[in-house]
Amino acid sequence: MPQTKQMLQQCVADTPIQIRESEHGLLILDINTELCSASMALQGAHVMTWQPKGEAPVLWLSPDAKLEKGKSIRGGIPICWPWFGEHATESTFAAHGFARTADWELVSTSELAGGGIEVVMRLLDTQTEQWKYDTPVVIKVIFGRTLNIELTTTNQSNASIQLSEALHTYFNVQDVRQIKVQGLDSCEYVDKLEAYQRKTQQGAVFFKQEVDRIYINQSSNVVIQDKVLNRSIHINKQGSQSSIVWNPWLDKCKAMGDLGADDAYLNMVCVESGNAADNTVTLEAGGTHRLSVSYHLA
Ligand code: BG6
């Protein structure tokens, strides 16, 4: 049974977390501390906003994001799980898996020494029509001046499973045409816009048109340099062999319907950390897999 607003309020009593309900019934945790302000929806365990105090927002949330039951929220950090992109064999299954629109449950909240707020949620039903395996998945998020996220999947079924996943993070940038993404030089990538051709990255990634790429065998850290905002966003990751870089550009932005104004694409870039394409994880029966990412500004 999904938790009610009252149940959540009891869970967060005596913490700097407030519970709010969106116009269309999504329950949202609002966090406000000396270190940061942030929000996280219970549906999808979706971190929507995160803003270290004194800084411009680090995450981008569409002004037209739909905060509705069963709809994916455009912006913040959707969780793609247990598959990334299209399902390998079933074209009618939801793109990026079902976790991002499913009910999650708040397990615990705590204030850590140093002022960070830890929030733990678990997916309520991991076995569905589209996924027959017993694979509990838990997310732990620590909200501070750094944002730490750990997504842990355990395979309790008696067969090995194929898992692909991503933290599909939308970052706020001043002008995507003036940023660069570093840390991907010499990496092989799958170009989704050119019939999934394999290519090799030369130098930093710049944005002059639509970009949709899966960088594979890429486990090192990534940095988004935003010279207009005069800052760099550092993405440090573990348990992730792929980075996905996406910007829809003008035509797709207009067509999508929930991205905001026609030029909203200029203010965002997705740099996603996960395991996709060749890096799909084989998780043996009884095994555990952990994807950890942390973001900070410098
Ligand atoms: C990216 C994919 O991860 O997500 C893109 O590489 C896709 O191909 C984008 O368009 C957004 O996906 P969705 O399902 O949230 O619209």
Side-chain angles (χ1 to χ4, degrees), residues 72 74 84 95-96 100 168 170 192 212-214 244 246 252 256 272:
S72 176
R74 182 68 63 195
F84 174 84
H96 291 326
R100 63 178 175 163
H168 190 311
Y170 289 74
K192 291 181 78 174
D212 193 354
R213 303 173 179 172
I214 304 173
I244 299 95
W246 179 62
K252 253 183 208 161
M256 285 177 76
E272 310 167 34

Side-chain angles (χ1 to χ4, degrees), residues 44 48 51 77-78 90 94 101 114 142 156 163 178 199 215 222 249 256 260 263 295 297:
M48 294 163 55
Q51 180 169 18
I77 314 183
E90 303 291 337
T101 53
I142 300 175
Q156 289 185 353
L163 175 75
Q178 298 197 55
K199 299 182 181 173
Y215 289 85
V222 179
W249 220 253
M256 285 177 76
D263 62 356
Y295 305 118
L297 295 176

Side-chain angles (χ1 to χ4, degrees), residues 50-223:
W50 170 58
Q51 180 169 18
K53 283 282 151 77
E55 306 287 351
V58 181
L59 303 181
W60 181 85
L61 179 65
S62 167
D64 290 349
K66 294 188 172 59
L67 305 184
E68 289 175 28
K69 290 195 174 147
K71 294 262 192 312
S72 176
I73 300 169
R74 182 68 63 195
I77 314 183
I79 299 173
C80 306
W81 185 99
W83 58 87
F84 174 84
E86 305 304 321
H87 188 274
T89 53
E90 303 291 337
S91 59
T92 57
F93 286 9
H96 291 326
F98 53 87
R100 63 178 175 163
T101 53
D103 286 320
W104 290 60
E105 182 176 74
L106 180 62
V107 176
S108 65
T109 58
S110 30
E111 289 187 66
L112 306 179
I117 300 292
E118 181 186 282
V119 174
V120 179
M121 292 184 185
R122 72 175 186 96
L123 183 60
L124 260 189
D125 298 315
T126 50
Q127 278 172 288
T128 70
E129 274 300 299
Q130 300 189 354
W131 182 256
K132 310 264 182 217
Y133 312 99
D134 180 14
T135 52
V137 58
V138 174
I139 190 168
K140 184 170 92 180
V141 186
I142 300 175
F143 296 93
R145 288 199 70 81
T146 297
L147 181 68
N148 289 294
I149 305 184
E150 205 175 86
L151 187 72
T152 305
T153 306
T154 306
N155 182 4
Q156 289 185 353
S157 72
N158 47 23
S160 76
I161 58 156
Q162 297 291 307
L163 175 75
S164 61
E165 58 182 346
L167 296 170
H168 190 311
T169 308
Y170 289 74
F171 291 100
N172 173 42
V173 296
Q174 190 60 39
D175 181 346
V176 76
R177 296 165 300 189
Q178 298 197 55
I179 67 163
K180 60 180 171 183
V181 177
Q182 292 179 308
L184 302 169
D185 186 22
S186 305
C187 274
E188 185 179 353
Y189 65 89
V190 177
D191 192 340
K192 291 181 78 174
L193 301 175
E194 292 200 33
Y196 288 71
Q197 267 181 56
R198 299 285 169 141
K199 299 182 181 173
T200 303
Q201 180 66 37
Q202 308 287 337
V205 183
F206 294 92
F207 299 83
K208 297 186 175 59
Q209 58 193 356
E210 184 182 357
V211 170
D212 193 354
R213 303 173 179 172
I214 304 173
Y215 289 85
I216 56 173
N217 304 325
Q218 193 285 323
S219 56
S220 52
N221 299 335
V222 179
V223 178

Side-chain angles (χ1 to χ4, degrees), residues 3-5 8 18-30 40-46 48 61 65-74 100-104:
Q3 288 165 314
T4 61
K5 186 174 179 186
L8 293 188
Q18 302 287 322
I19 306 298
R20 121 178 99 97
E21 192 167 344
S22 78
E23 197 188 337
H24 297 289
L26 285 201
L27 293 172
I28 296 165
L29 284 66
D30 284 323
M40 183 173 182
L42 190 63
Q43 175 175 287
H46 193 127
M48 294 163 55
L61 179 65
K66 294 188 172 59
L67 305 184
E68 289 175 28
K69 290 195 174 147
K71 294 262 192 312
S72 176
I73 300 169
R74 182 68 63 195
R100 63 178 175 163
T101 53
D103 286 320
W104 290 60

